[in-house]
Amino acid sequence: MATQSKPSPHYTLGDWNTSNFTIATNAERGRNTSFVVRQDGRHLINDTEIVTRWNQQDNKTRLENRCDDIQNWRDRLEETRDQLDEEIARLKADKEVCERALEAKALPLDVANQNLTTREGRLKIDLVDDVVTAELRKEVEVIEGTKVALQQKCAQSFEQLCRLEEARKQILRDLEHKIVALDIDIEQADLTQDSAEICFQPNPTRVKKGHITPQEWDAHSRYNRARAESEMQASIALRGAINQTIRQTANDVEAQRHATEYALRNRMAEVEKAKVEDEWQKERTEKEIAEMRKDIANMEQAIRDKEAPLKLAETRLENRTCRPSGLELCRDNAQYGLVNEVHEIKNTIKALQDKLKQEQHELTNCEHNLQRVMEDLALKTNSLALDSDMANYRTKLDGVNHNFTKLGSSTQYQSVKSAQAA
C-alpha cells in the first residue's frame, strides 16, 4: 500500500525576499563584527607585545640595578673583610707581643725572689730589714702587679679576637650570600626568551618563606658592617692600651730595678765601710792586747822583782830581833827604816798586784771585744759576700728588655711582627 508524504510548505515571494535580506544582513553584520574583533586582536597583539617587551626590559633593568646594589654591598663587605683580616692580624701580633712581655717578667721575678732568699743567709745582727730588702719586696710587688696588668690585657685581647672573628664570620656569611645572589641575578639578567634553559615553572609567583623587604636586606648588611667597624674601633683602642701597658710596665720594672740596685750599691758601701771599721778595730785591738800582755808581763816581773827587796828587809828585821835584849834591842832609825821599807814594799806589791788585776781585767775585755769585732767582721764579710753574689746574679737582667713595642729599643717587636706576617 503506497505511503502518502506530508506536503512541503509553500512560501510567498515576500517570505523569500525577507529570507534573502536576512541572510545578507546577518552575513554582513558577522563580517563587520569579525572585522572589529580582528582589529581588536591585532591591537591587542601589538599592545601586549609592547607591554611584554617593556616589562622584560624594565625587569632586566631592575635586575641590573639589583646586581649593582648587590655588587656595591659586595665591594663594601669585601673591603670590611680585608680590614677585619688586617685588624685581626695586628691584634694577634700585639697579643703575642703582650704575651712575650709577660713571659719576660719571669726572670726579673725569679731574680728578685732569689735575691730575697740569698739575703736570708745573713746572720745575727746583719739580718736586718734594710732599704735593700724593702726595695726587693717592692720589686716583687711591682713585677707581680705588671704581670696582672699584662695578663688582663692578654685576656681582653683574646676576648676581642673572638668578637672580631664572630664579626668576620657574619661578614663572610653575608658576603657569601651576596655572591650567590649576585650570580643568580646576573644569570637572570642575561636570560632572554631565546635562551635554551627557559621553561614553564609550577607556581613561580609564590612567596617563598624567609623573604624580607629591601629595607630589611639593606639594614642587615649595614648592621653587619657597623658591628665589624665597631669591633675594629674597639680593637684599635685595645691595641693602644696594650702597647701603653707594655711600655708602662716596662718603665715600672726598670725603674724599680734601678732603685733596688742603687739601694744595693749604697748598702754594700755601708757594709764595706763597717767591715773596714771592724778591720781597723781588730788591728788596733790586737796591738793593744799585745801591748797589754807586755805590760802584764812587765808588771808580773816587777812584782817578782819586789820579792828580793822584801825578803832582804824582812830578813834584816828578823835578824835584828836577835840582838841582846835590853839596851841593845833598840828601835833605832834603822829599825824604823826597815819597818817602813817592808810596809812600803808590801804596799808597792799590793799596788802592783791591783794594777796587774786591772790590766788582766782590761786584757780580758780587750780579748772579748776582739772576739766580738772578729765575729762582727765575719758577719760583715758574709753579708758583703752575699750582697756581692746578689749583685752578680742581677747581671742576668742586663740583657732583658721589657719594651716590645714599636717605641721600644728592642728589635723583638719587629721579629714578632715579621713572624706574624709570615
Side-chain angles (χ1 to χ4, degrees):
M1 179 176 186
T3 301
Q4 291 183 350
S5 59
K6 187 177 181 179
S8 297
H10 287 259
Y11 297 94
T12 65
L13 183 61
D15 291 335
W16 182 80
N17 290 327
T18 300
S19 176
N20 291 334
F21 177 78
T22 299
I23 291 172
T25 301
N26 289 336
E28 184 176 357
R29 186 181 296 115
R31 289 194 305 273
N32 291 334
T33 302
S34 176
F35 175 77
V36 172
V37 171
R38 286 190 299 104
Q39 293 300 319
D40 290 342
R42 291 175 181 177
H43 287 301
L44 181 60
I45 291 173
N46 291 332
D47 291 342
T48 54
E49 180 67 19
I50 291 172
V51 170
T52 299
R53 290 187 178 182
W54 174 257
N55 287 338
Q56 285 184 358
Q57 184 61 36
D58 188 30
N59 287 320
K60 179 179 176 65
T61 301
R62 290 175 181 174
L63 284 170
E64 291 174 348
N65 291 337
R66 181 61 177 172
C67 290
D68 290 340
D69 292 340
I70 297 175
Q71 183 63 47
N72 289 335
W73 266 116
R74 176 183 177 181
D75 293 340
R76 282 184 281 182
L77 291 175
E78 286 179 344
E79 180 183 4
T80 303
R81 177 202 60 194
D82 294 340
Q83 292 173 350
L84 277 171
D85 290 341
E86 183 178 358
E87 184 58 34
I88 288 173
R90 289 179 177 177
L91 184 56
K92 284 183 178 179
D94 286 344
K95 178 177 177 290
E96 185 175 351
V97 169
C98 187
E99 290 171 348
R100 293 197 179 187
L102 179 60
E103 292 172 359
K105 301 300 179 290
L107 178 59
L109 183 59
D110 176 72
V111 169
N113 286 323
Q114 182 63 35
N115 290 160
L116 286 172
T117 302
T118 299
R119 299 198 91 229
E120 288 298 316
R122 294 173 298 165
L123 303 173
K124 298 181 179 179
I125 190 63
D126 272 21
L127 188 58
V128 60
D129 287 336
D130 51 14
V131 179
V132 178
T133 301
E135 292 294 344
L136 281 171
R137 289 172 180 168
K138 185 178 179 182
E139 186 173 16
V140 171
E141 181 181 351
V142 168
I143 295 173
E144 289 179 344
T146 59
K147 289 183 67 176
V148 170
L150 291 172
Q151 286 170 348
Q152 289 177 347
K153 294 306 175 186
C154 287
Q156 291 175 2
S157 61
F158 176 77
E159 294 173 358
Q160 185 60 40
L161 279 172
C162 291
R163 289 192 290 270
L164 286 171
E165 290 290 351
E166 181 61 27
R168 183 176 182 273
K169 288 180 181 178
Q170 292 291 340
I171 291 294
L172 290 177
R173 188 181 299 112
D174 196 2
L175 185 59
E176 180 182 359
H177 293 168
K178 292 289 187 293
I179 293 173
V180 173
L182 182 60
D183 290 341
I184 291 174
D185 282 350
I186 289 176
E187 183 179 354
Q188 304 318 304
D190 291 340
L191 282 177
T192 66
Q193 60 188 18
D194 297 327
S195 299
E197 58 268 28
I198 65 174
C199 64
F200 290 108
Q201 301 293 335
N203 194 17
T205 59
R206 69 187 183 280
V207 178
K208 188 177 180 180
K209 186 178 179 180
H211 274 211
I212 60 174
T213 65
Q215 292 77 14
E216 292 173 331
W217 173 83
D218 188 75
H220 176 70
S221 295
R222 288 184 183 277
Y223 170 77
N224 287 337
R225 190 178 187 214
R227 179 190 177 188
E229 290 176 346
S230 175
E231 295 299 341
M232 284 190 288
Q233 289 299 321
S235 177
I236 291 172
L238 178 59
R239 288 195 293 108
I242 289 174
N243 290 326
Q244 176 62 27
T245 301
I246 292 174
R247 288 193 294 270
Q248 185 62 49
T249 54
N251 293 337
D252 292 344
V253 171
E254 284 299 312
Q256 185 55 43
R257 173 196 168 192
H258 292 317
T260 301
E261 292 178 354
Y262 176 76
L264 177 60
R265 289 193 297 270
N266 288 342
R267 183 58 180 167
M268 290 179 68
E270 292 176 357
V271 175
E272 180 66 29
K273 182 178 179 181
K275 179 186 175 185
V276 171
E277 177 67 21
D278 283 347
E279 290 174 344
W280 185 84
Q281 292 293 343
K282 174 177 175 292
E283 180 183 356
R284 301 299 300 173
T285 303
E286 286 175 343
K287 289 183 179 179
E288 182 63 27
I289 289 174
E291 292 294 330
M292 184 64 74
R293 285 174 177 170
K294 290 180 181 179
D295 287 354
I296 288 174
N298 293 334
M299 187 66 67
E300 290 173 344
Q301 184 62 41
I303 292 173
R304 287 193 297 270
D305 290 343
K306 295 299 183 287
E307 291 177 355
L310 180 59
K311 290 177 181 179
L312 175 62
E314 288 181 348
T315 300
R316 284 175 176 174
L317 281 174
E318 185 62 27
N319 290 337
R320 294 195 80 210
T321 59
C322 294
R323 290 177 298 168
S325 59
L327 294 177
E328 294 301 325
L329 193 61
C330 179
R331 294 182 63 84
D332 51 14
N333 288 333
Q335 182 71 18
Y336 284 112
L338 287 171
V339 171
N340 288 335
E341 183 179 5
V342 168
H343 289 309
E344 185 68 27
I345 292 173
K346 287 183 176 180
N347 289 335
T348 300
I349 291 174
K350 185 178 184 306
L352 290 173
Q353 289 175 340
D354 290 342
K355 182 59 68 176
L356 176 62
K357 291 180 180 179
Q358 184 178 1
E359 289 181 350
Q360 289 174 338
H361 177 72
E362 293 302 324
L363 176 62
T364 301
N365 287 339
C366 286
E367 290 175 343
H368 179 67
N369 289 335
L370 178 62
Q371 182 64 28
R372 291 186 60 186
V373 168
M374 293 179 66
E375 289 177 356
D376 192 63
L377 180 60
L379 295 179
K380 297 296 183 292
T381 302
N382 176 67
S383 298
L384 193 61
L386 292 176
D387 285 347
S388 179
D389 291 342
M390 189 177 78
N392 293 332
Y393 193 74
R394 291 184 67 86
T395 57
K396 292 182 178 182
L397 302 177
D398 292 341
V400 177
N401 182 20
H402 301 280
N403 194 351
F404 289 79
T405 62
K406 290 180 180 178
L407 299 179
S409 59
S410 175
T411 59
Q412 299 177 63
Y413 180 85
Q414 295 299 331
S415 65
V416 171
K417 290 294 188 181
S418 301
Q420 185 68 29

